Amino acid sequence: VAADPTSGSAFFATDRGRELIAHLDPARIPSHVAVIMDGNGRWARMHGLPRLAGHRAGAEALRELITAAIELGIGVLTVFSFSSENWTRPREEVQGLMGLFVEVLTRELDNLERLGVRVRLIGRTDSMPAPTLQAFLRAQERTEHLRTLTLVIALDYGGRAEIADAAASIAHDVADGRLSPDAVDEDAVASRLYAAGLPDPDLIIRTSGEMRLSNFLLWQSAYSEIHVTPVLWPDFDRQTLLEAVIDYQSRERRFGGTS
Ligand code: IPE
Ligand code: IPE
Ligand code: MG
């Protein structure tokens, strides 16, 4: 848990900020928060702007989420940036997004390094344009040693594809005699997922009011608490994050047991 979640932000000095902090239990901060950053298109339409302007505003919101997560002492933050199904969007939007990823990562890399953020990419990388993949690999390499926050970026990510890839890897190991079919258990699958070794998300936040997972972290979400907020992603800020964490802290996590 961070030493002092009240430091570093003017928001915490506002009435609403103080009220939220008073409700927060610093001993029960989720270790891993995953976010489905949805609603950029609707935000853009609301403001009479093209969809890409919504994605640009979304990148600013992500910046604030990262700072706020560090202030709260969250250790792992996974963000859904582009799904394996998002390739079906109009070419112009897909190209715009791929370019935006390069622009934002290049611009923010020094800042991420300064904050101690380790970047990790999850998803299939084979369809990604070379400059986009290069930017991510570079960020991954440059920040590998950092430990304040692990930022997992899900790009060309699909939960079913991830499980299918793990199944294929198991099949290869069995066929080559490295693994006995009887040894295929949950750990055998979990250890072959893209971000193997990271804890499962404690809390999944989805913005823009949609009550679905849209193929996000299907395996890892088995016992995640889910918080849906009507806030559109570009409007997401510290307050929205705090509200989500406080809601999470009000849940009783039973994991199939009894209270
Ligand atoms: C989320 O916002 C960003 C991506 C999926 C890349 P959307 O673009 O899905 O926004 P809406 O859902 O159309 O409002
Ligand atoms: C999920 O949002 C993917 C990301 C946030 C990157 P979508 O906007 O693609 O999800 P659906 O289509 O509403 O389910
Ligand atoms: Mg959407």
Side-chain angles (χ1 to χ4, degrees), residues 91-124:
R91 221 171 88 100
E92 190 188 300
E93 181 174 353
V94 171
Q95 279 180 348
L97 275 166
M98 292 299 149
L100 184 63
F101 294 144
V102 179
E103 183 192 316
V104 171
L105 254 187
T106 310
R107 194 186 61 213
E108 295 296 327
L109 192 51
D110 283 348
N111 193 37
L112 290 170
E113 235 181 333
R114 195 175 51 74
L115 291 170
V117 176
R118 174 195 192 187
V119 175
R120 283 185 69 176
L121 186 62
I122 59 167
R124 285 187 174 162

Side-chain angles (χ1 to χ4, degrees), residues 79-188:
V79 292
F80 204 3
S81 299
F82 192 88
S83 77
S84 42
E85 289 74 32
N86 288 148
W87 294 111
T88 61
R89 294 189 178 198
R91 221 171 88 100
E92 190 188 300
E93 181 174 353
V94 171
Q95 279 180 348
L97 275 166
M98 292 299 149
L100 184 63
F101 294 144
V102 179
E103 183 192 316
V104 171
L105 254 187
T106 310
R107 194 186 61 213
E108 295 296 327
L109 192 51
D110 283 348
N111 193 37
L112 290 170
E113 235 181 333
R114 195 175 51 74
L115 291 170
V117 176
R118 174 195 192 187
V119 175
R120 283 185 69 176
L121 186 62
I122 59 167
R124 285 187 174 162
T125 47
D126 39 355
S127 307
M128 243 183 273
T132 308
L133 182 58
Q134 284 312 317
F136 277 101
L137 293 180
R138 206 167 77 89
Q140 218 170 223
E141 258 167 47
R142 277 244 321 250
T143 62
E144 211 175 346
H145 58 291
L146 299 171
R147 288 294 179 273
T148 304
L149 173 77
T150 297
L151 175 66
V152 182
I153 301 177
L155 226 148
D156 191 7
Y157 174 87
R160 287 182 173 181
E162 182 179 36
I163 295 169
D165 286 350
S169 156
I170 288 173
H172 279 294
D173 285 349
V174 168
D176 297 345
R178 284 190 297 270
L179 183 69
S180 150
D182 299 325
V184 177
D185 55 9
E186 291 186 16
D187 285 342

Side-chain angles (χ1 to χ4, degrees), residues 30 200-203 223-225 248 251-256:
D200 289 340
D202 300 295
L203 168 64
Y223 272 103
S224 303
E225 297 298 330
Y248 162 83
R251 311 279 180 87
E252 190 197 357
R253 303 187 74 188
R254 284 187 293 272
F255 299 98

Side-chain angles (χ1 to χ4, degrees), residues 157-248:
Y157 174 87
R160 287 182 173 181
E162 182 179 36
I163 295 169
D165 286 350
S169 156
I170 288 173
H172 279 294
D173 285 349
V174 168
D176 297 345
R178 284 190 297 270
L179 183 69
S180 150
D182 299 325
V184 177
D185 55 9
E186 291 186 16
D187 285 342
V189 178
S191 66
R192 287 168 174 83
L193 299 176
Y194 301 144
L198 291 181
D200 289 340
D202 300 295
L203 168 64
I204 295 180
I205 300 172
R206 181 161 189 158
T207 56
S208 87
E210 307 293 357
M211 305 267 187
R212 57 178 171 265
L213 286 174
S214 302
N215 205 9
F216 188 46
L217 302 179
L218 295 184
W219 177 278
Q220 301 89 332
S221 63
Y223 272 103
S224 303
E225 297 298 330
I226 299 177
H227 174 88
V228 175
T229 169
V231 169
L232 301 175
W233 176 250
D235 291 328
F236 189 96
D237 59 9
R238 281 180 172 75
Q239 175 171 338
T240 334
L241 177 65
L242 271 180
E243 284 164 354
V245 171
I246 289 165
D247 179 29
Y248 162 83

